[in-house]
Structure formats: C-alpha cells, structure tokens
Amino acid sequence: MLSRRGLLAGSALALLAGCSSPPSGPPPGPPAVPEPTRPSALRDPVTVQRMHSAARGTDVDLVLITPEGVPASGLPVCLALHGRGAQARTFLSLGVPQLLTAAVRAGTPPFAVAAVDGDHYWVNVGSDDDPQRMLTDEVPGWLAGRDLRPASAVFGISMGGFGALRFARAHPDLKAVATASAALFVSWPDARSRKVFADEAGWRASEPLLHTADLRPEAVGVWCGESDPFLGADRKLVKAVNPAVSRFSPGKHDDEYWRGVLPDVLKFVGERLA
C-alpha cells in the first residue's frame, strides 16, 4: 500500500513527465516575413533615386517632390528641367519642396514635381545622348512604377526652358508649359556661340522660336527677369505665342530671381493640372 508521501511523489513525477513531452503536430514555422515596401509608397515628400537611362547612355538622378502631408499615389506630375551646368537636385536647393507645400496649403491643387538630369538643351545634338527620348520613353515608366500619373505639365529654367518648349511641341496635350528665363536664340550665330548644336539645321529643327505655332497659348506661361540676357528672345516668344501668362519683372539670370518667381509658377501649373 502506497503511503501519502509516495502518492505525492508519483503525482509530481507524472506532472513533470507531461510537461517535458514533445507537443503533438508539426513544429511551428519561422515568423512571417513582412511584404517589402513598394517604391510607389513615397512616404517622404522628397526622394532621390539613381536610374539608368538607355536613351542618354548613362545613369541619372530622378528627383521626386510631393507636397508634405499629401498622399503621393495618383498625383498628376509636372516635369522640371534644369538649366545648363545644373542638375535635377538643383530644384531642391531652389526650395521647390517647401514652395510646393506652401502653395498647396494656400489652396493650389496638389501635384508632384519630377526632375531628371539632362544636358545640351535637352535635345539630341548628334550623339547617342537623347534627353528628349528619355523624357518621352523612359520617364513615364519610372513614374508609373511609383504610382504617379504620366507627366501632364512641364517647367524649365534657362536651358530647361528651351527643353520644356521642345517637349511641348511633341506633346500638344500638356495642360501647362512654364518657362523661367528660357534660353532661346534669335539667330544661328547666337545659337552657334553656345557650342552645343552640331549645325544650323539641327538648331533650326529644335529652336522653339522657329516653331511657336506648335504651342497652345492657353497652356503656356513665361517668366523672365528684366536684366536677363535672354529678355529679348523671351519677349519674341511672348509676342509670337500670346501665352496665358507672361510676366517680366526686375531680376537677373540667377537663383535669386528663380526663387522669387517659383511660387507663381507652381500656382500656374497646379491650377491647370487640377
């Protein structure tokens, strides 16, 4: 006959044995791995990514700017083309992120700004480097991969103004085409002095002043400083196109002037993209 002490000891051993026995069924698997975040999320108002452009034969920066606090997915897009000697990141130093956010908070419909690196007046000048083909054939895919719409507006500064007007000729459905201090040339000797265009025929095929009939006046906005070396050429543009907005005000061909007109430019673009 078992004593009380023996019964207690046996019960304890049975309990321990039950606790140490292996659980029934297969062992639990590894913890679930979260899905990778898609690039289209664009949680930050500014992103800079290095992209390979086959059209340009090189890697370029893709700078995307969205208004702070506004979901980026599905926003309309304005291309931003920089001037000679600058780069896509120049629009960051000009304060576009802050100015775009301020414009939207003041009532301008939200949109995104997409800037890429370009060169030689944003046209193919007889080499394998074709910025216009990059804008037309490659940038739309880059934007779609980030849940942004195809570009329906373009803005250019200086050399970028030349490129923006050239891009608009090939895309007549653009809702806004804005230039600041557009670098335009009234004659072949003037253009040749820039040492960019291979020959006069190439310049004539690209020069916006020689193709103003291809532009839709209601979509065009022109800004230029009254002390800008391209003032005369930009006045010719305004006279030929009669754009929706043309503003000539004190200023030179420099960052100070461009920072000063950017709020008006962003408002102009946003109202037409709405």
Side-chain angles (χ1 to χ4, degrees):
M1 184 174 182
L2 291 173
S3 66
R4 177 180 176 83
R5 181 178 297 178
L7 282 171
L8 291 174
S11 298
L13 287 172
L15 180 62
L16 288 174
C19 292
S20 61
S21 61
S24 61
V33 178
E35 290 292 326
T37 301
R38 293 182 59 202
S40 60
L42 288 180
R43 291 185 176 88
D44 296 326
V46 175
T47 63
V48 180
Q49 293 176 289
R50 201 69 177 160
M51 309 296 293
H52 180 73
S53 169
R56 293 208 57 210
T58 188
D59 291 342
V60 299
D61 276 346
L62 171 65
V63 177
L64 296 175
I65 303 168
T66 58
E68 189 173 348
V70 175
S73 180
L75 284 179
V77 176
C78 175
L79 294 177
L81 310 186
H82 61 75
R84 193 174 188 184
Q87 55 187 351
R89 293 173 187 249
T90 298
F91 291 99
L92 302 181
S93 63
L94 288 175
V96 170
Q98 297 82 4
L99 294 171
L100 179 60
T101 295
V104 170
R105 289 176 178 173
T108 298
F111 64 98
V113 173
V116 286
D117 295 331
D119 203 356
H120 41 253
Y121 287 82
W122 294 89
V123 297
N124 187 330
V125 292
S127 68
D128 293 330
D129 186 348
D130 192 342
Q132 285 289 324
R133 186 160 68 86
M134 172 184 68
L135 297 176
T136 298
D137 295 348
E138 296 177 323
V139 170
W142 299 346
L143 298 178
R146 290 153 182 82
D147 268 359
L148 294 169
R149 301 185 202 171
S152 49
V154 64
F155 162 59
I157 293 176
S158 187
M159 176 187 81
F162 187 110
L165 294 168
R166 178 66 185 86
F167 183 76
R169 286 174 52 203
H171 300 82
D173 56 340
L174 290 175
K175 296 180 179 180
V177 181
T179 67
S181 312
L184 308 176
F185 307 105
V186 298
S187 68
W188 167 235
D190 190 18
R192 182 174 54 193
S193 69
R194 300 288 161 165
K195 298 181 179 179
V196 171
F197 303 97
D199 51 37
E200 183 174 357
W203 164 69
R204 286 186 171 278
S206 299
E207 174 58 53
L209 286 177
L210 299 178
H211 302 274
T212 54
D214 295 338
L215 301 172
R216 292 191 304 111
E218 65 272 19
V220 178
V222 177
W223 284 259
C224 190
E226 293 172 338
S227 299
D228 194 293
F230 293 103
L231 176 63
D234 281 24
R235 286 196 185 279
K236 285 195 68 172
L237 175 68
V238 168
K239 184 176 180 180
V241 176
N242 190 24
V245 173
S246 59
R247 292 185 183 153
F248 299 96
S249 57
K252 301 178 180 179
H253 197 86
D254 57 20
D255 288 0
E256 182 180 359
Y257 171 76
W258 299 323
R259 288 192 186 99
V261 301
L262 270 169
D264 280 349
V265 172
L266 294 171
K267 182 180 179 182
F268 171 85
V269 169
E271 288 175 347
R272 282 156 179 78
L273 287 180

